[in-house]
Amino acid sequence: MLVLDNPVRVRPEARQQLLDTLQSNKIPDEYGLRIGIRGGGCGASWLLGFDIPGTSDEVYNVEGVRIIIDRKHLLYVLGAEIGYEPGGFTVDKDPPA
């Protein structure tokens, strides 16, 4: 079985914003940031939101942030970097080589 320590990266400004959001909204500890994709092909977009892990999810602790990734999405999100800019969160990912 493959074990990944950090399948994604969380930039410091995103980490702080996530932790502040969780605390200020009193979101329970069992929640985490779900990262995935929606759609496919040219119409794919990033999925980010707070959620509770399900049976098909992998859960990671990345820089103190609980990250939830559906096993079906793992290949697509590997190496993604979560950032934060005024107006919201960003996701950067280099295309596969």
Side-chain angles (χ1 to χ4, degrees):
M1 172 184 228
L2 176 64
V3 177
L4 300 170
D5 289 331
N6 292 323
V8 298
R9 292 181 299 273
V10 179
R11 292 184 191 153
E13 67 277 6
R15 176 187 180 278
Q16 191 59 54
Q17 186 67 30
L18 287 163
L19 295 175
D20 289 349
T21 300
L22 288 164
Q23 183 178 22
S24 66
N25 290 295
K26 298 179 179 156
I27 298 174
D29 290 341
E30 62 266 15
Y31 279 78
L33 179 67
R34 178 173 296 281
I35 301 173
I37 56 166
R38 186 182 338 214
C42 295
S45 61
W46 289 101
L47 170 71
L48 291 175
F50 295 111
D51 201 0
I52 297 174
T55 57
S56 65
D57 293 326
E58 296 290 336
V59 180
Y60 302 92
N61 182 336
V62 179
E63 302 295 325
V65 176
R66 191 172 194 206
I67 302 292
I68 303 167
I69 304 173
D70 188 307
R71 287 182 193 102
K72 295 180 289 189
H73 296 209
L74 191 56
L75 178 64
Y76 302 104
V77 302
L78 281 175
E81 186 172 68
I82 310 304
Y84 184 80
E85 297 175 355
F89 290 95
T90 62
V91 179
D92 294 321
K93 184 171 186 322
D94 292 331

